[in-house]
Amino acid sequence: MEVCYQLPVLPLDRPVPQHVLSRRGAISFSSSSALFGCPNPRQLSQRRGAISYDSSDQTALYIRMLGDVRVRSRAGFETERRGSHPYIDFRIFHSNSEIDVSVSARNIRRLLSFQRYLRSSRFFRGITLPNSSNILDDDYNGQAKCMLEKVGNWNFDIFLFDRLTNVMVQEDYHSHNPYHNAVHAADVTQAMHCFLKEPKLSQSLTPWDTLLGLIAAATHDLDHPGVNQPFLIKTNHYLATLYKNTSVLENHHWRSAVGLLRESGLFAHMSLENRQLMESQIGALILATDISRQNEYLSLFRSHLDKEDLCLTEENHRHLILQMALKCADICNPCRTWELSKQWSEKVTEEFFHQGDVEKKYCLGVSPLCDRQTETIANIQIGFMTYLVEPLFTEWARFSNTRLSQTMLGHLGLNKASWKGVQREQSSSGDDTDPAFEEMDSDVIPQEHRLS
């Protein structure tokens, strides 16, 4: 028996009542099959006025029906619907330019493919797009194309590339986040590309493995709210409840990625079994980026290296290597040149301090590393490098002892020395802060210190 639920269509200028779980339009779905059941050919997905899902899309539906999962929504976090902290207006995390964007225009862009996005965006700007089979616009044929030819270079300047191209990966990332935005996603993807080119990986990984690694890198922080897990937990955010306070952000990034892939139909040509496998393996990669589980993955990796029993002909061993590669790519900023690394350090600290400001304002208790009055960029970075980055990249260099690995360790050492120089200058000028972070044991670093 097929059960169909139809939610009313609401005008865009009216508030959404609490009992209506859909963002816009109507959502219908079928409960006639299991979570990953076969699509019902009778159901058509109507992009105009309604969104139709059958049970094969229940992960995407599950996310949508909880409310607008995007923290960049025009109304911000709607606390009465989320059960979040009753005193915080989460619009404070949104830039004015983001809020002023037309909701209807954003929703249209959200549902379009890359090529239709290009045509749609030019249409909105009143520019007619000539008939062409090219997916990329004219920007690709200039400086951006020259840069892409060097995308495998470790010194690749992702900030310059962003200025040249206005990276279009960003529709499900939030540009108002200083750090966790589309540029970070592009940077991690570029680093992952460099790692996949390393001899041990390029000679062992299958095309399937490579595809998984790049998709996971591009989506590993999808829909990041710009605050960490403890903040979501102590404000009673609905995502913390949904994922039972466990790897909350990573689970959300994964499920958002699954919803996006299903909605796009990118892999609709694949068998159901392969799609399920892909979604599961992408999830395992993204969940590995949870810094609170750093020691778990690092100990397993170190154990294999000590025993010299890694066999990359085995699928589970290749998957572990992909997990470690993504972990390295995610926190590789200190291993870039000083010019790039310093920019990333400033951005992530800005995001930390922004969260701390909000926590102070609402008397929530300021999270570690988030108090601009007692912390400095230098202190934060030295602790981060010492207890998280160095142990990880040292083991990666044991696995893949190449010129790239030595280059990364070299940059890491120089950058750490540079921050220590800054720290000494601040100390001599009387602007020193409590260096307690440096005395912490890596086994007891709490979740609050995580960057993803």
Side-chain angles (χ1 to χ4, degrees):
M1 177 181 178
E2 182 176 285
V3 181
C4 186
Y5 299 90
Q6 189 76 18
L7 300 179
V9 178
L10 298 175
L12 295 179
D13 58 350
R14 289 178 54 188
V16 182
Q18 184 173 351
H19 68 278
V20 179
L21 298 179
S22 163
R23 287 187 300 159
R24 297 285 181 257
I27 297 181
S28 63
F29 64 96
S30 168
S31 60
S32 59
S33 53
L35 177 62
F36 293 104
C38 297
N40 186 338
R42 292 175 299 171
Q43 291 183 320
L44 297 177
S45 180
Q46 300 176 355
R47 294 302 189 190
R48 296 181 180 178
I51 301 176
S52 175
Y53 292 91
D54 56 56
S55 56
S56 67
D57 285 327
Q58 280 192 0
T59 299
L61 172 66
Y62 187 34
I63 296 171
R64 304 282 185 226
M65 290 194 66
L66 285 170
D68 188 351
V69 300
R70 287 164 184 73
V71 296
R72 66 170 178 271
S73 66
R74 188 175 188 180
F77 286 103
E78 298 171 8
T79 56
E80 72 281 2
R81 240 175 33 179
R82 304 287 197 277
S84 298
H85 193 281
Y87 305 110
I88 297 182
D89 180 354
F90 285 86
R91 283 175 291 184
I92 56 181
F93 286 107
H94 300 181
S95 65
N96 292 332
S97 59
E98 183 81 14
I99 295 174
D100 292 339
V101 174
S102 165
V103 173
S104 59
R106 183 190 301 124
N107 288 345
I108 291 173
R109 292 200 306 269
R110 170 67 181 79
L111 297 173
L112 298 181
S113 67
F114 185 91
Q115 190 163 8
R116 290 178 64 198
Y117 180 113
L118 177 63
R119 294 174 180 275
S120 176
S121 64
R122 294 194 177 207
F123 172 78
F124 289 140
R125 295 196 301 266
I127 300 175
T128 303
L129 182 69
N131 291 330
S132 172
S133 60
N134 295 330
I135 293 180
L136 297 175
D137 60 21
D138 293 338
D139 291 338
Y140 177 75
N141 296 318
Q143 294 171 300
K145 180 179 179 181
C146 294
M147 284 200 71
L148 283 175
E149 292 173 353
K150 301 179 180 179
V151 72
N153 189 320
W154 185 248
N155 294 332
F156 188 84
D157 189 336
I158 196 67
F159 297 108
L160 175 59
F161 185 70
D162 179 52
R163 290 194 293 272
L164 291 176
T165 63
N166 189 21
V167 180
M168 295 180 68
V169 184
Q170 61 198 21
E171 186 56 24
D172 268 24
Y173 282 90
H174 309 315
S175 60
H176 57 266
N177 290 344
Y179 182 85
H180 289 105
N181 51 42
V183 183
H184 168 64
D187 182 65
V188 172
T189 305
Q190 189 269 338
M192 191 68 166
H193 169 64
C194 292
F195 297 155
L196 294 176
K197 288 173 53 185
E198 292 286 79
K200 278 193 175 181
L201 281 75
S202 63
Q203 296 168 10
S204 305
L205 298 181
T206 65
W208 174 272
D209 297 328
T210 301
L211 178 63
L212 287 177
L214 293 174
I215 291 178
T219 61
H220 81 286
D221 274 336
L222 205 63
D223 199 42
H224 197 292
V227 293
N228 60 17
Q229 173 173 289
F231 185 93
L232 296 179
I233 292 174
K234 64 187 174 185
T235 56
N236 265 340
H237 191 260
Y238 77 101
L239 288 176
T241 303
L242 176 62
Y243 297 116
K244 301 179 180 178
N245 299 344
T246 303
S247 297
V248 174
L249 288 169
E250 291 75 23
N251 271 298
H252 178 56
H253 303 325
W254 168 32
R255 295 301 181 182
S256 296
V258 169
L260 186 62
L261 289 173
R262 291 186 179 186
E263 197 172 337
S264 70
L266 184 61
F267 299 111
H269 62 285
M270 294 169 52
S271 68
L272 176 61
E273 181 181 3
N274 284 338
R275 291 200 304 271
Q276 289 178 332
L277 180 61
M278 171 172 285
E279 291 169 358
S280 174
Q281 291 183 338
I282 288 174
L285 292 178
I286 293 177
L287 289 174
T289 62
D290 185 348
I291 289 295
S292 68
R293 299 179 63 189
Q294 171 94 334
N295 289 328
E296 173 188 339
Y297 286 96
L298 192 57
S299 296
L300 177 60
F301 189 44
R302 184 181 289 125
S303 175
H304 280 299
L305 294 176
D306 291 342
K307 296 176 183 177
E308 299 182 348
D309 64 352
L310 276 174
C311 180
L312 297 187
T313 59
E314 296 183 16
E315 183 179 6
N316 61 327
H317 284 189
R318 293 199 308 274
H319 195 70
L320 172 63
I321 296 305
L322 283 176
Q323 289 176 317
M324 300 309 297
L326 182 56
K327 287 177 65 62
C328 288
D330 189 27
I331 61 172
C332 72
N333 304 152
C335 301
R336 301 282 192 178
T337 62
W338 171 252
E339 291 75 15
L340 297 176
S341 179
K342 183 173 181 290
Q343 290 185 70
W344 286 119
S345 300
E346 292 167 346
K347 290 176 181 296
V348 74
T349 306
E350 180 185 349
E351 195 166 290
F352 285 169
F353 288 169
H354 190 187
Q355 175 179 321
D357 293 343
V358 174
E359 291 170 328
K360 284 182 181 180
K361 180 176 181 180
Y362 295 100
C363 302
L364 294 171
V366 181
S367 299
L369 312 184
C370 294
D371 192 336
R372 68 174 70 248
Q373 302 302 321
T374 61
E375 295 287 355
T376 66
I377 300 178
N379 283 356
I380 292 172
Q381 286 303 306
I382 291 170
F384 176 55
M385 294 178 185
T386 301
Y387 299 111
L388 293 175
V389 183
E390 282 182 345
L392 180 61
F393 279 85
T394 298
E395 297 305 319
W396 181 260
R398 285 181 63 197
F399 164 71
S400 178
N401 188 14
T402 63
R403 180 178 180 181
L404 174 59
S405 296
Q406 295 308 313
T407 297
M408 291 190 296
L409 288 175
H411 286 318
L412 178 61
L414 291 172
N415 292 336
K416 185 176 179 181
S418 296
W419 284 120
K420 285 187 174 181
V422 173
Q423 190 181 54
R424 284 192 297 271
E425 291 178 4
Q426 292 173 338
S427 178
S428 63
S429 65
D431 190 27
D432 196 17
T433 59
D434 184 4
F437 190 98
E438 293 189 71
E439 300 172 3
M440 297 176 60
D441 184 87
S442 60
D443 290 333
V444 295
I445 293 181
Q447 285 184 339
E448 288 89 341
H449 296 155
R450 61 202 210 71
L451 301 181
S452 58

